[in-house]
């Protein structure tokens, strides 16, 4: 496609599309099936884990009953493989009748009755990534109306089996179609991930007018290597990505894999901390029915969640990469506060990292810091105070930092009733 045609299309789109649905003023939180349960459709051989209405009911129950909903984890999200292989007689998508015998509308009511919201998956192409019916350009309005009639609250719109020209038309058209339903449906676009994630192929100003969030890069896999690869790509391109993020428009580095098989506890804390600093969606993909308490403590850490949900909505960035293989990440927060993450890329032993707030570009003054995962309070800090932080291999230390004189603005009450900083 010629540059002139692309420019013309982008211009037309920007004149006619504006999402403006008022949703996701902070990054979405919830649970999604894909990374943990993939396309398991063997409900005879694996009834507990197959993609079926029972799986999503189970996860809705866990979110509602195990303290997740109260922390902000409110979305239950269906991914690929929920559909029948054929549309119905009216040309509408329909769920697989053996795995979703009650239908999606009934499942949505089940989820809503528990104070939660339902997300669903579709693909802007001839077929989904796993070969189920896609949403071609002529089906966009039909599918948007179908999702709204079912009571869906969130759409993940993938891009397999489509080309750049179709995507350029289809993603904005779906945004307009969702708005036209009159139902508030959050809109997640995979569009930039299919275009390399960067300008000039990706116009982030336009994306912010069309989508509430977007996948920029490769799918996450259940491994530390995958997490590191995503962190490196986002950090390398942070000057482009950071300005694109804000209230109602978020970069999405993909799901939290904490509680699966590929991360140690230190690595799990690292993913949680870095996703919080990046203002990333906190969308778990794990088995909520079998999480142990140590994993639950990471995912339910109130301070990490509050940092992620900070109302300023500014995405954090990597400040330093040291020769010692320690990296420092920073995010500005409301109330003159900030978050610091010290990440070790080492593989040998805990490392004592020396620094100061002055070296990290803090303004002169007196500060205190709350250690997000240990609960320790660091007092009496100014910009010249020598700081020594012990960071485990592939682990993090995460601090919530605030001016000392504003201590009373940065407090919370723990579940045990103890008054603590934040």
């Amino acid at each position: 496609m010629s540059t002139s045609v692309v420019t013309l299309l982008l211009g037309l789109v920007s004149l006619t599309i504006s999402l403006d649905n008022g949703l996701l003023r902070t990054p979405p939180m919830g649970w999604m099936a894909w990374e943990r349960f993939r396309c398991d459709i063997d409900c005879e051989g694996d009834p507990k884990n197959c993609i079926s209405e029972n799986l999503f009911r189970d996860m809705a129950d866990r979110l509602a009953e195990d303290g997740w909903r109260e922390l902000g984890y409110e979305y239950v999200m269906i991914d690929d493989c929920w559909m029948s292989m054929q549309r119905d007689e009216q040309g509408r998508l329909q769920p697989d009748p053996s795995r979703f015998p009650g239908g999606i509308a009934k499942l949505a009511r089940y989820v809503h009755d528990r104070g939660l919201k339902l997300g669903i998956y579709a693909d802007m192409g001839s077929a989904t990534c796993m070969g189920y019916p896609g949403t071609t350009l002529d089906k966009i309005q039909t599918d948007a109306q179908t999702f709204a009639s079912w009571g869906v609250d969130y759409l993940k719109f993938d891009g397999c089996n489509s080309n750049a020209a179709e995507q350029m038309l289809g993603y904005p058209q779906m945004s307009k179609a969702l708005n036209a339903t009159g139902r508030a449906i959050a809109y997640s676009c995979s569009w930039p991930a299919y275009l390399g994630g960067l300008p000039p192929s990706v116009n982030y100003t336009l994306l912010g007018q069309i989508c509430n969030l977007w996948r920029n890069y490769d799918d996450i896999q259940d491994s530390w290597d995958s997490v590191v690869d995503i962190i490196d790509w986002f950090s390398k391109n942070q000057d482009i990505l950071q300005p694109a993020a804000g209230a109602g428009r978020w970069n999405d580095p993909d799901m939290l894999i904490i509680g699966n098989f590929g991360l140690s506890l230190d690595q799990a804390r690292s993913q949680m901390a870095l996703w919080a600093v990046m203002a990333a969606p906190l969308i778990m993909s794990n088995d909520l029915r079998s999480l142990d308490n140590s994993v639950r403590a990471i995912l339910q850490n109130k301070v990490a969640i509050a940092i992620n949900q900070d109302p300023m909505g500014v995405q954090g960035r990597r400040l330093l990469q040291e020769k010692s293989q320690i990296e420092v990440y920073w995010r500005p927060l409301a109330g003159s506060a900030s978050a610091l993450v010290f990440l070790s890329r080492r593989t040998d032993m805990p490392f004592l990292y020396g620094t100061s707030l002055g070296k990290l570009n803090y303004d002169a003054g007196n500060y205190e810091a709350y250690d997000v995962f240990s609960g320790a309070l660091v007092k009496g800090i100014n910009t010249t105070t020598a700081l020594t932080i012990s960071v485990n291999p592939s682990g993090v230390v995460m601090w919530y930092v605030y001016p000392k004189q504003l201590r009373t603005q940065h407090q919370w009450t723990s579940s045990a009733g103890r008054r603590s900083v934040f």
Side-chain angles (χ1 to χ4, degrees):
M1 183 180 293
S2 70
T3 302
S4 60
V5 173
V6 170
T7 303
L8 176 61
L9 283 171
L10 289 176
L12 290 172
V13 165
S14 64
L15 289 172
T16 57
I17 299 295
S18 180
L19 185 63
D20 195 26
N21 59 15
L23 299 175
L24 305 190
R25 308 310 291 173
T26 58
M29 298 173 60
W31 180 91
M32 180 177 282
W34 181 255
E35 202 295 316
R36 174 61 179 83
F37 295 96
R38 304 287 174 153
C39 192
D40 181 354
I41 59 172
D42 181 12
C43 289
E44 183 175 344
D46 193 15
K48 182 180 177 181
N49 299 310
C50 68
I51 302 302
S52 69
E53 62 184 33
N54 291 332
L55 177 67
F56 297 98
R57 286 182 177 184
D58 281 353
M59 297 307 164
D61 290 344
R62 299 280 57 77
L63 289 179
E65 297 173 19
D66 296 346
W68 301 98
R69 179 187 60 204
E70 290 74 15
L71 294 170
Y73 291 98
E74 62 177 346
Y75 286 98
V76 178
M77 301 188 191
I78 305 169
D79 208 281
D80 205 347
C81 306
W82 63 270
M83 305 170 190
S84 169
M85 280 296 186
Q86 302 293 329
R87 289 176 176 263
D88 69 14
E89 293 179 354
Q90 287 75 43
R92 297 172 299 194
L93 292 172
Q94 56 184 342
D96 180 277
S98 64
R99 293 183 285 115
F100 293 85
I104 301 300
K106 185 176 180 180
L107 178 59
R109 290 193 296 272
Y110 188 93
V111 169
H112 294 159
D113 286 347
R114 282 146 186 79
L116 302 167
K117 299 177 181 179
L118 182 68
I120 206 164
Y121 169 99
D123 185 279
M124 209 266 92
S126 59
T128 73
C129 297
M130 299 305 295
Y132 290 83
T135 301
T136 49
L137 293 173
D138 61 312
K139 294 294 186 183
I140 285 176
Q141 187 171 354
T142 297
D143 290 354
Q145 291 289 343
T146 299
F147 298 147
S149 72
W150 287 342
V152 166
D153 305 292
Y154 180 114
L155 172 63
K156 175 183 174 180
F157 205 31
D158 213 339
C160 282
N161 302 301
S162 61
N163 60 43
E166 292 166 336
Q167 292 166 7
M168 189 176 296
L169 294 171
Y171 279 102
Q173 284 183 19
M174 179 58 83
S175 179
K176 186 176 181 180
L178 292 173
N179 274 348
T181 68
R183 182 173 180 79
I185 300 176
Y187 184 33
S188 171
C189 305
S190 297
W191 189 9
Y194 287 89
L195 300 175
L198 298 172
S201 299
V202 177
N203 182 331
Y204 279 105
T205 300
L206 175 62
L207 272 173
Q209 298 169 358
I210 293 171
C211 313
N212 293 118
L213 66 158
W214 44 80
R215 284 288 311 286
N216 314 70
Y217 189 56
D218 295 345
D219 287 358
I220 199 167
Q221 307 298 326
D222 191 11
S223 74
W224 177 239
D225 286 346
S226 178
V227 172
V228 166
D229 180 52
I230 290 169
I231 293 167
D232 283 342
W233 187 86
F234 273 79
S235 298
K236 178 182 177 181
N237 298 297
Q238 62 188 10
D239 290 342
I240 295 167
L241 301 174
Q242 186 192 36
R249 46 183 178 85
W250 307 104
N251 295 303
D252 182 2
D254 212 4
M255 294 161 276
L256 294 169
I257 57 171
I258 297 165
N260 292 332
F261 311 100
L263 301 185
S264 68
L265 284 178
D266 274 308
Q267 292 163 352
R269 293 186 192 97
S270 295
Q271 191 191 17
M272 187 69 179
L274 290 163
W275 263 234
V277 164
M278 289 194 293
L282 298 183
I283 307 297
M284 304 177 288
S285 189
N286 50 24
D287 192 339
L288 297 174
R289 301 167 297 192
S290 58
L291 295 182
D292 64 35
N293 289 336
S294 58
V295 167
R296 191 187 307 272
I298 295 168
L299 289 165
Q300 294 190 346
N301 186 293
K302 292 180 180 179
V303 184
I305 291 170
I307 290 169
N308 174 264
Q309 297 287 296
D310 183 75
M312 279 179 55
V314 177
Q315 181 173 317
R317 59 190 296 116
R318 184 164 63 190
L319 292 181
L320 294 171
Q321 288 180 284
E322 304 279 22
K323 291 182 180 179
S324 61
Q325 295 183 276
I326 299 297
E327 298 177 356
V328 183
Y329 296 77
W330 170 83
R331 180 182 177 186
L333 304 171
S336 301
S338 59
L340 282 172
V341 173
F342 305 94
L343 168 68
S344 175
R345 302 290 285 267
R346 302 174 69 93
T347 59
D348 52 358
M349 60 185 293
F351 184 82
L352 296 176
Y353 175 64
T355 189
S356 69
L357 292 185
K359 182 180 177 181
L360 302 178
N361 302 319
Y362 277 72
D363 293 334
N366 297 309
Y367 295 86
E368 294 181 345
Y370 178 82
D371 188 309
V372 172
F373 292 114
S374 77
L377 180 60
V378 184
K379 296 182 178 181
I381 309 171
N382 59 42
T383 49
T384 62
T385 304
L387 303 172
T388 302
I389 299 119
S390 179
V391 192
N392 289 345
S394 65
V396 291
V397 170
M398 185 180 197
W399 281 5
Y400 174 81
V401 183
Y402 56 93
K404 180 181 178 181
Q405 67 269 26
L406 299 179
R407 177 190 296 179
T408 57
Q409 297 180 24
H410 300 278
Q411 293 186 333
W412 63 292
T413 303
S414 71
S415 58
R418 183 180 61 194
R419 192 70 170 170
S420 184
V421 173
F422 184 61

